[in-house]
Amino acid sequence: MLRQVCCSGFQPFRQRLLPWLQSTALSRSHRVQPSAIRHVRSWSNIPFITVPLSRTHGKSFAHRSELKHAKRIVVKLGSAVVTRGDECGLALGRLASIVEQVSVLQNQGREMMLVTSGAVAFGKQRLRHEILLSQSVRQALHSGQNQLKEMAIPVLEARACAAAGQSGLMALYEAMFTQYSICAAQILVTNLDFHDEQKRRNLNGTLHELLRMNIVPIVNTNDAVVPPAEPNSDLQGVNVISVKDNDSLAARLAVEMKTDLLIVLSDVEGLFDSPPGSDDAKLIDIFYPGDQQSVTFGTKSRVGMGGMEAKVKAALWALQGGTSVVIANGTHPKVSGHVITDIVEGKKVGTFFSEVKPAGPTVEQQGEMARSGGRMLATLEPEQRAEIIHHLADLLTDQREEILLANKKDLEEAEGRLAAPLLKRLSLSTSKLNSLAIGLRQIAASSQDSVGRVLRRTRIAKNLELEQVTVPIGVLLVIFESRPDCLPQVAALAIASGNGLLLKGGKEATHSNRILHLLAQEALSIHGVKEAIQLVNTREEVEDLCRLDKMIDLIIPRGSSQLVRDIQKAAKGIPVMGHSEGICHMYVDSEASVDKVTRLVRDSKCEYPAACNALETLLIHRDLLRTPLFDQIIDMLRVEQVKIHAGPKFASYLTFSPSEVKSLRTEYGDLELCIEVVDSVQEAIDHIHKYGSSHTDVIVTENEKTAEFFLQHVDSACVFWNASTRFSDGYRFGLGAEVGISTSRIHARGPVGLEGLLTTKWLLRGQDHVVSDFSEHGSLKYLHENLPVPQRNTN
């Protein structure tokens, strides 16, 4: 009888599944050709890579970044992952994505094992459908359609559901893995298979043989015969774990097989310090043994056997056995398609279980400290913030020997690994520190009237006055490469503007950044706001930091154009202030001065070619070709060893030309320069608008009318006349320093100093005013009178 129910109950599922199987060539009798596999990999967004996987098992990984070395991996799929949200079928798209990720990792040379739930839930759906179908037929024959609404489905016994669902679930997995030319094998186990020594050895041998043959074992508890669940007494620190659900099964399997990594996928992001969905619930990034006392567990999954408490206990048991564990969400539509591969790549996904607790705070804790410290900083008097900055400037000169010694260590470690331009950025000197100190004192002077400055005053009505005042943005994340001198500059600007600050420097400047950060905190300590500036020293990847949208209000990248592009791409819900490229132009007009041109070109291109404000394209008026001025420019560039690339129009004028440029939209960042010919100032402007990056563009001419036309019509953040592009800098603009140069058109543009780190809020002061008094029949009328604004202190 049961067999008949199983077969007939499978028909509706087959009818839904078969068209999908046929359309994707998943027939079990069909072997996918290698060309088809290559096609699959081409549309996959998961990279096909090989990584070093040799590792001695016995100790779990201490850090997420080490997970990429995992050789043997168990992936546990919870019932909520396998089944649809409406519990009316399997989540086929989600399962297909999981199989794809497992297959990619298997093809990298890893040994993958699946522990899957879903048999009971799948069987329950099939049996319910069968019972409902048979009941509806009987009711229609005997009582008519009016009693169909009163039909009740009996409670289904879990073992029968498992027996009905297991075969269909396995058939689906087999079909999906066949798409990647990977064979899968089903293994059903019970608690007795682990406690009976002979059975345990047999199971161990079978699994090892399957892995040796590059077969993916799909393991599940044999729920058709499994006994009722027992108490959790065996999870209290002893060396045995009973198999009561697939969480404990996965943990036992992981330890038994000496697995490097266990990934537990459920319908929650990971482990929270309180039940998910509660107001104060926070995702725990890293969980350590002993921390479970500080966690409040909620209810179990909507369809699974165990809740988060069971997962944590099983995870800690596996961790104790030498297996690293990550609990993550396998149902979220935006991340489920790459959650497994993201975890293996070491990305910050879910909760990572580790036995190594870092000495310092987590980046989340640092973000909270920066938030609270920044708010305290903003409440200080302007003179107090200025005093902190002055003290930091003094420390830069007083402690220069210690700073230069730390910088020397960075330079020695970077020797041979970094290119010459990056080594130059990394290097500090006495003159650089003196210049920094001067810039910091400029910032201190300009900070006297920054936070709390009144921009607008309006009398809304009698005794109802409105003010718009400047306030800090909040918490800034500044990511910078190579340049340790960036740290005190940005720190001073954050102090002056009352912002909390997270700093992420490059590894190449570790020693320099550490001592500079300590000096910044020493200066902050004179007014008790030491924690307002935090240096991220953990192994956080930039992409992970860009996801902290609840802690960070603005990201400011300082470094290469590639860094800026990567951050702009990775930022999720956090504004990024910066420029993706620094394609700066200089237009040499037909009325340019011979004496000025070569000086301006040399300084713009050769003084510091790696800078974002260095010249990349030189536009020359056609009338200057084959003139002494043009020859002087070419001779100077040859002496400075600048490689020249010819634009298409320039190349057409020459019999023997330099290599024609591949793209007119190129930032070289080195001693390379594109030269192109234009017929007029308007053509130069059009070229800049088409190929430029709206960073900095220059005209060289003695014709004031032409210059003004260029200044007014070029739509870039910085537009100069007879001046080097290298003047595009916060210090040179008199801003003291800059956090970066922005080509954005919102909030701040060009070199961003103190003013660019402020926003506004509105303050309304009234006396029992209500809006209803201003209605058509109310007693009050709006005045909207502009009031004088207090004069700004410009000293």
Side-chain angles (χ1 to χ4, degrees):
M1 180 63 182
L2 178 60
R3 183 175 181 181
Q4 292 174 351
V5 171
C6 291
C7 293
S8 60
F10 186 62
Q11 292 305 316
F13 173 73
R14 283 181 61 110
Q15 291 169 4
R16 295 194 303 272
L17 181 62
L18 277 175
W20 177 75
L21 292 176
Q22 293 166 353
S23 65
T24 54
L26 291 181
S27 171
R28 293 176 61 183
S29 61
H30 177 70
R31 294 296 295 173
V32 180
Q33 298 302 314
S35 60
I37 300 171
R38 288 193 295 271
H39 175 69
V40 170
R41 289 175 187 168
S42 68
W43 57 253
S44 169
N45 60 355
I46 304 170
F48 186 84
I49 58 173
T50 56
V51 293
L53 301 175
S54 57
R55 176 175 180 264
T56 302
H57 184 83
K59 189 172 181 61
S60 61
F61 294 117
H63 306 283
R64 283 184 185 269
S65 58
E66 298 171 341
L67 294 180
K68 61 179 175 288
H69 299 298
K71 166 73 172 178
R72 186 170 292 172
I73 303 171
V74 171
V75 179
K76 184 265 176 180
L77 308 178
S79 297
V81 177
V82 176
T83 58
R84 294 204 322 240
D86 58 7
E87 301 181 29
C88 294
L90 294 180
L92 295 179
R94 197 153 56 222
L95 278 179
S97 176
I98 289 170
V99 168
E100 179 189 2
Q101 295 174 77
V102 171
S103 300
V104 168
L105 294 174
Q106 180 85 359
N107 287 330
Q108 289 177 358
R110 305 180 200 267
E111 297 174 342
M112 304 298 298
M113 290 181 279
L114 277 184
V115 175
T116 180
S117 300
V120 174
F122 186 27
K124 183 183 295 184
Q125 291 151 12
R126 292 168 61 187
L127 292 181
R128 278 181 173 175
H129 180 87
E130 175 65 20
I131 292 170
L132 186 62
L133 181 62
S134 61
Q135 282 186 346
S136 65
V137 172
R138 290 196 297 270
Q139 292 285 1
L141 290 175
H142 295 94
S143 305
Q145 293 292 330
N146 57 348
Q147 293 189 14
L148 289 178
K149 297 179 182 179
E150 301 176 3
M151 290 190 305
I153 298 177
V155 176
L156 299 174
E157 204 274 329
R159 294 189 187 93
C161 293
Q166 192 65 51
S167 60
L169 182 63
M170 188 59 199
L172 180 63
Y173 276 121
E174 286 182 350
M176 288 181 169
F177 275 111
T178 300
Q179 176 75 357
Y180 302 94
S181 288
I182 291 177
C183 183
Q186 181 182 31
I187 297 179
L188 297 177
V189 297
T190 66
N191 196 32
L192 296 176
D193 296 321
F194 288 99
H195 287 279
D196 184 282
E197 186 62 24
Q198 184 60 47
K199 290 183 177 181
R200 190 179 66 82
R201 284 200 300 266
N202 292 342
L203 174 62
N204 191 295
T206 299
L207 288 169
H208 275 94
E209 183 64 14
L210 291 174
L211 294 177
R212 186 186 69 81
M213 297 171 64
N214 200 35
I215 295 173
V216 175
I218 300 178
V219 189
N220 196 359
T221 51
N222 192 353
D223 293 321
V225 299
V226 72
E230 300 173 1
N232 284 332
S233 59
D234 59 332
L235 285 171
Q236 304 305 317
V238 297
N239 293 325
V240 179
I241 181 171
S242 294
V243 176
K244 291 176 288 296
D245 52 43
N246 277 341
D247 296 315
S248 55
L249 168 61
R252 180 65 193 259
L253 180 68
V255 174
E256 182 73 24
M257 294 296 295
K258 295 182 171 57
T259 301
D260 300 317
L261 174 61
L262 168 60
I263 300 174
V264 179
L265 297 183
S266 182
D267 57 351
V268 292
E269 262 56 47
L271 179 60
F272 288 77
D273 57 0
S274 56
S278 57
D279 291 338
D280 298 324
K282 294 180 180 178
L283 180 66
I284 298 173
D285 173 37
I286 305 177
F287 191 72
Y288 308 97
D291 283 355
Q292 60 265 41
Q293 301 300 324
S294 61
V295 176
T296 302
F297 293 101
T299 59
K300 71 180 188 68
S301 168
R302 58 180 172 83
V303 288
M305 293 286 292
M308 184 57 72
E309 186 172 11
K311 289 177 175 58
V312 171
K313 289 180 177 180
L316 291 174
W317 190 88
L319 187 68
Q320 183 182 356
T323 296
S324 295
V325 184
V326 175
I327 297 178
N329 191 340
T331 64
H332 196 292
K334 291 185 178 180
V335 298
S336 59
H338 45 81
V339 60
I340 299 173
T341 50
D342 279 355
I343 290 171
V344 176
E345 289 172 11
K347 294 182 180 179
K348 199 169 186 178
V349 178
T351 300
F352 172 62
F353 286 70
S354 174
E355 292 185 303
V356 180
K357 197 164 188 174
T362 65
V363 69
E364 289 82 5
Q365 292 169 331
Q366 286 186 295
E368 292 175 355
M369 289 189 287
R371 174 79 68 189
S372 59
R375 285 171 175 164
M376 292 176 61
L377 182 63
T379 61
L380 296 179
E381 294 297 325
E383 295 79 10
Q384 293 175 305
R385 289 193 294 273
E387 186 181 355
I388 293 172
I389 300 171
H390 276 295
H391 188 48
L392 177 57
D394 294 338
L395 287 172
L396 290 178
T397 54
D398 295 344
Q399 305 293 326
R400 62 177 176 272
E401 291 185 6
E402 290 83 353
I403 297 171
L404 295 178
L405 183 61
N407 185 244
K408 183 180 178 182
K409 291 181 181 178
D410 287 327
L411 289 170
E412 289 173 350
E413 293 176 5
E415 191 69 38
R417 295 190 300 109
L418 292 183
L422 293 179
L423 280 173
K424 186 176 180 180
R425 286 188 177 192
L426 179 60
S427 175
L428 292 175
S429 63
T430 300
S431 60
K432 267 191 179 182
L433 293 176
N434 290 336
S435 296
L436 277 174
I438 294 171
L440 263 58
R441 293 187 178 98
Q442 290 179 353
I443 295 173
S446 63
S447 70
Q448 296 291 328
D449 190 23
S450 55
V451 180
R453 178 163 54 92
V454 179
L455 301 178
R456 180 184 303 183
R457 293 180 65 221
T458 305
R459 179 177 287 119
I460 303 299
K462 184 178 181 182
N463 296 324
L464 184 64
E465 294 188 2
L466 177 69
E467 284 185 346
Q468 185 185 20
V469 300
T470 57
V471 293
I473 289 175
V475 175
L476 313 176
L477 168 62
V478 178
I479 302 170
F480 55 101
E481 296 176 319
S482 300
R483 293 180 52 180
D485 54 330
C486 171
L487 194 152
Q489 290 178 338
V490 174
L493 288 169
I495 295 166
S497 57
N499 284 289
L501 180 62
L502 283 175
L503 293 160
K504 175 66 173 175
K507 295 177 182 178
E508 65 279 357
T510 297
H511 302 292
S512 305
N513 289 337
R514 184 180 295 120
I515 188 170
L516 290 171
H517 174 246
L518 289 174
L519 295 179
Q521 289 201 316
E522 182 179 337
L524 289 162
S525 297
I526 65 177
H527 288 296
V529 288
K530 175 182 177 181
E531 295 182 341
I533 295 179
Q534 299 287 325
L535 180 65
V536 179
N537 287 317
T538 59
R539 299 191 180 196
E540 301 292 334
E541 297 293 334
V542 169
E543 185 174 343
D544 295 329
L545 291 172
C546 291
R547 294 173 179 168
L548 301 177
D549 57 306
K550 294 182 180 179
M551 299 179 181
I552 298 168
D553 298 296
L554 179 66
I555 301 175
I556 304 173
R558 293 194 61 171
S560 66
S561 58
Q562 186 60 51
L563 171 72
V564 179
R565 283 193 295 268
D566 290 344
I567 291 173
Q568 289 173 331
K569 184 178 179 180
K572 307 296 182 185
I574 309 175
V576 178
M577 184 166 67
H579 61 279
S580 58
E581 293 175 307
I583 305 175
C584 302
H585 292 76
M586 180 179 288
Y587 165 58
V588 181
D589 185 54
S590 59
E591 299 181 64
S593 166
V594 174
D595 298 330
K596 294 176 182 177
V597 172
T598 53
R599 277 173 47 83
L600 292 174
V601 173
R602 178 189 289 110
D603 190 79
S604 297
K605 178 72 260 185
C606 308
E607 196 268 342
Y608 191 1
C612 65
N613 55 14
L615 177 64
E616 303 295 3
T617 299
L618 182 65
L619 301 175
I620 297 180
H621 194 283
R622 181 184 57 182
D623 293 347
L624 295 178
L625 290 178
R626 300 183 180 89
T627 66
L629 173 58
F630 178 78
D631 293 339
Q632 286 184 21
I633 296 173
I634 298 300
D635 290 342
M636 180 273 297
L637 293 174
R638 185 180 297 111
V639 170
E640 296 291 340
Q641 298 183 330
V642 176
K643 182 178 180 180
I644 298 175
H645 301 277
K649 200 169 181 179
F650 179 44
S652 68
Y653 282 96
L654 304 175
T655 305
F656 300 100
S657 67
S659 61
E660 187 168 340
V661 68
K662 295 180 180 178
S663 171
L664 291 168
R665 197 178 283 112
T666 301
E667 181 181 13
Y668 298 102
D670 206 344
L671 288 174
E672 296 183 59
L673 180 69
C674 172
I675 296 180
E676 181 59 308
V677 174
V678 292
D679 292 339
S680 65
V681 63
Q682 183 61 58
E683 188 175 333
I685 293 170
D686 293 341
H687 181 103
I688 290 170
H689 287 165
K690 184 174 183 179
Y691 299 109
S693 61
S694 300
H695 191 295
T696 301
D697 298 292
V698 176
I699 183 173
V700 183
T701 185
E702 295 304 302
N703 188 313
E704 182 178 354
K705 184 177 179 181
T706 303
E708 289 299 328
F709 183 84
F710 184 91
L711 294 175
Q712 296 301 319
H713 286 79
V714 172
D715 187 17
S716 297
C718 300
V719 189
F720 302 161
W721 172 22
N722 288 349
S724 168
T725 60
R726 298 278 289 116
F727 278 104
S728 182
D729 177 83
Y731 174 75
R732 297 180 182 113
F733 275 18
L735 305 179
E738 65 183 36
V739 293
I741 295 180
S742 172
T743 55
S744 169
R745 299 174 186 275
I746 300 175
H747 182 64
R749 199 174 184 207
V752 180
L754 176 58
E755 298 286 339
L757 300 181
L758 297 171
T759 184
T760 65
K761 71 177 180 181
W762 298 87
L763 306 177
L764 184 65
R765 298 178 177 91
Q767 294 182 4
D768 193 31
H769 286 82
V770 294
V771 170
S772 59
D773 287 342
F774 295 86
S775 63
E776 183 178 355
H777 303 290
S779 58
L780 295 177
K781 300 294 182 182
Y782 288 112
L783 299 176
H784 292 153
E785 296 177 357
N786 291 328
L787 299 176
V789 174
Q791 290 299 310
R792 183 180 180 183
N793 180 10
T794 57
N795 294 328

